[in-house]
């Protein structure tokens, strides 16, 4: 037992040393959330073997998913294969749904390797909640309203495509590869509930993702990986509101007025990631570590209902530091990941012109009238198990993520300060099965995420202003303590892989 303990200690010290390197690089994109939003699996279009094990990944390879995270890991492919992984998910409480059909292939040779994936996706919009039913005032001429429940309001189509290519060298011990992804987006799930009382919402935009990856197979079955990533997310929301005004209080007649608003949602991310895995001496255990850093620029943040600052830009630094262990012995595979995610984000409102403060001083044009600083201290645990019985295998897992942040807000006009603390947890049990034949493999993955929902702010002793906010990053400053109407996201994926030569 003593050699094992010693090996664990040495490995942990090595992982921490690697995590502290200033040149550490990142493949993963760290999503920031300041509200407990029930999000779907919209961008999870890739095939995977470990998703039903709680998504364990640090010390356990997933040779279907790994090449799409770090393209250089495609150099580890033993065989080329075609795959398809149809996926559906549903957000409870009429929060929306989606169906995706990805198809792709991974191939390899003695020197070159590569692959690609393309997907079509249908997003079904969730309900927008309460809608007015008023008697219009016959004295005033009718106001033409935009059509309700048009096809584009109920369902939208997204398209994704990604390709990668790489080269092995040093007798196959090293690999260098690059990938590029483009998504044509006509909907991001939940945006239909983003603006309380909206009559209609037209979404359009795109996402780009570029990655450069490196892997090295070191003596002693040790592996090292590094990735650089650049991601650009850009959406436009053309929102129409209908405001109803009482024009005859005796007969309760109302007159509608139409108001159009355009909101931009843009985030540019540069990331770097470093990962290391090695076996523990004389055991079937493996241990690994990761370090990731993201630098995010937020040129435009939409005018969310929950916040009290319109269209505020900002920037963020986000990190994750993780340790993972895994064991493969006979028909049983076990994995565990522990990850800590600190982050700092700053957003602000810019003055439209010279603004007088409470003490009579002047804030110049484009000066900061309100400043927000978020300090995040998030953490996650992924746990999973696989048991094989001849050609059949079943998998179980659990993913738990805790969100914890403090908001410090400075109003430079009123010369006031406020602090707000928020905490919540996401619980995601996972399950799945795999059936392997000589010429194909069938897989099923299921998961259900709870702990999120439809957040709102608690004003005037419980009078709630309901809105659902979902986007790539949700960095907004709530203007009151948050409340939550819970909704569970349930996802099902059926996948097939066919090897070919």
């Amino acid at each position: 037992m003593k050699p094992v303990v010693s090996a664990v200690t040495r490995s942990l010290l090595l992982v921490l040393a690697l995590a502290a390197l200033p040149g550490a690089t990142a493949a993963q994109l760290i999503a920031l959330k300041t509200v407990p939003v029930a999000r779907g699996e919209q961008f999870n279009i890739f095939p995977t073997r470990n998703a039903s094990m709680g998504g364990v990944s640090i010390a356990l390879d997933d040779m279907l998913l790994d090449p799409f995270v770090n393209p250089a890991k495609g150099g580890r492919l033993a065989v080329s294969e075609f795959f398809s992984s149809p996926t559906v998910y549903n957000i409870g409480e009429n929060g929306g749904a989606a169906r995706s059909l990805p198809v792709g292939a991974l191939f390899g040779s003695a020197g070159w390797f590569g692959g690609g994936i393309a997907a079509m996706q249908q997003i079904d919009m969730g309900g927008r909640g309460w809608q007015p039913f008023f008697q219009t005032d016959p004295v005033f001429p009718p106001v033409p309203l935009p059509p309700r429940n048009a096809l584009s309001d109920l369902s939208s189509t997204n398209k994704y495509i990604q390709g990668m290519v790489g080269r092995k060298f040093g007798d196959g011990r090293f690999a260098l590869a690059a990938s590029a992804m483009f998504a044509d987006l006509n909907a991001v799930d939940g945006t239909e509930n983003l603006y309380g009382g909206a009559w209609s919402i037209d979404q359009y935009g795109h996402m780009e993702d570029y990655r450069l990856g490196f892997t090295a197979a070191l003596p002693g079955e040790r592996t090292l990986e590094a990735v650089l990533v650049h991601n650009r997310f850009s959406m436009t929301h053309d929102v129409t509101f209908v405001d109803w005004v009482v024009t005859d209080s005796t007969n309760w007649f109302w007159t509608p007025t139409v108001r159009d608003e355009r909101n931009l949602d843009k985030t540019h991310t540069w990331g770097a990631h470093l990962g290391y895995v090695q076996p523990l001496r004389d055991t079937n255990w493996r241990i690994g570590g990761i370090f990731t850093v993201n630098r995010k620029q937020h040129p435009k943040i939409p005018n969310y209902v929950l916040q009290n600052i319109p269209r505020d830009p900002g920037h963020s630094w986000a990190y994750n530091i993780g340790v993972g262990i895994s064991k493969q012995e006979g028909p049983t595979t076990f994995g565990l990941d522990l990850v800590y995610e600190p982050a700092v984000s700053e957003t602000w409102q810019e003055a439209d012109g010279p603004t007088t403060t409470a003490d009579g001083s002047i804030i110049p044009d484009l000066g900061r009238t309100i400043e927000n600083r978020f300090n995040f201290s998030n953490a996650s645990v992924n746990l999973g198990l696989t048991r094989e019985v001849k050609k059949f295998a079943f998998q179980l897992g659990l993913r738990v993520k805790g969100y914890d942040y403090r908001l410090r807000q400075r109003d430079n006009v009123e010369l006031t300060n406020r602090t707000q603390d928020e905490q919540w947890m996401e619980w995601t049990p996972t399950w799945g099965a795999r059936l392997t034949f000589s010429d194909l493999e069938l897989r099923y993955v299921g998961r259900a995420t709870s702990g999120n929902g439809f957040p709102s702010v608690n004003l005037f002793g419980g009078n709630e202003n309901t809105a659902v906010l979902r986007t790539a990053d949700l960095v907004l400053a709530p203007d009151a303590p948050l409340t939550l109407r819970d909704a569970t996201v349930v996802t099902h994926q059926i996948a097939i892989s066919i090897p070919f030569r």
Side-chain angles (χ1 to χ4, degrees), residues 203-446:
Q203 304 180 59
Y204 50 94
H206 68 278
M207 182 183 70
E208 304 169 46
D209 188 274
Y210 306 97
R211 303 187 181 215
L212 178 65
F214 170 79
T215 60
L218 306 177
E221 299 183 11
R222 297 172 297 144
T223 60
L224 178 70
E225 67 163 318
V227 186
L228 294 174
V229 61
H230 179 53
N231 184 278
R232 301 177 71 87
F233 180 86
S234 177
M235 291 293 292
T236 300
H237 308 149
D238 289 333
V239 189
T240 299
F241 294 92
V242 176
D243 300 321
W244 295 83
V245 179
V246 178
T247 52
D248 186 339
S249 59
T250 302
N251 298 301
W252 284 101
F253 286 155
W254 301 70
T255 297
T257 59
V258 177
R259 172 170 52 93
D260 294 321
E261 181 178 299
R262 170 164 290 183
N263 281 278
L264 303 179
D265 187 1
K266 296 180 181 291
T267 297
H268 304 158
T269 302
W270 286 93
H273 171 81
L274 181 69
Y276 175 83
V277 180
Q278 74 166 51
L280 295 182
R281 183 184 302 176
D282 302 325
T283 74
N284 293 320
W285 291 89
R286 291 169 60 82
I287 187 168
I290 60 169
F291 175 77
T292 305
V293 57
N294 281 185
R295 170 62 172 177
K296 297 172 179 285
Q297 293 286 347
H298 312 286
K300 292 292 184 180
I301 299 175
N303 186 11
Y304 296 136
V305 173
L306 290 184
Q307 68 180 353
N308 58 355
I309 301 176
R311 299 180 178 85
D312 51 327
H315 53 74
S316 306
W317 283 98
Y319 310 85
N320 68 32
I321 304 169
V323 176
I325 59 173
S326 68
K327 182 180 182 181
Q328 293 180 285
E329 184 169 358
T332 302
T333 301
F334 167 81
L336 172 67
D337 293 345
L338 305 173
V339 180
Y340 175 58
E341 290 188 354
V344 176
S345 183
E346 295 184 16
T347 65
W348 58 87
Q349 180 185 24
E350 296 176 346
D352 293 332
T355 303
T356 304
T357 68
D359 64 358
S361 59
I362 302 296
I363 298 176
D365 184 30
L366 299 182
R368 297 184 181 183
T369 57
I370 297 180
E371 297 178 274
N372 302 305
R373 182 179 175 87
F374 301 87
N375 290 96
F376 297 86
S377 184
N378 303 332
S380 64
V381 178
N382 295 4
L383 177 69
L385 179 71
T386 296
R387 179 70 178 185
E388 299 181 10
V389 181
K390 296 183 179 180
K391 296 181 179 180
F392 178 79
F394 66 88
Q395 298 177 309
L396 292 173
L398 179 64
R399 184 175 64 207
V400 181
K401 183 159 187 178
Y403 291 86
D404 185 348
Y405 75 87
R406 168 167 289 188
L407 163 65
R408 295 181 175 89
Q409 186 178 88
R410 170 67 178 174
D411 188 329
N412 295 324
V413 177
E414 299 297 331
L415 302 179
T416 59
N417 296 279
R418 77 178 184 95
T419 300
Q420 181 172 339
D421 295 304
E422 297 291 349
Q423 299 177 350
W424 72 93
M425 296 186 69
E426 295 178 1
W427 295 82
T428 306
T430 63
W431 60 92
R434 183 176 70 237
L435 188 59
T436 304
F437 301 96
S438 60
D439 57 347
L440 65 88
E441 182 178 85
L442 296 173
R443 296 180 305 279
Y444 164 73
V445 177

Side-chain angles (χ1 to χ4, degrees), residues 98-109:
R99 290 172 288 279
S100 305
L101 179 58
V103 294
L106 295 168
F107 64 87
S109 65

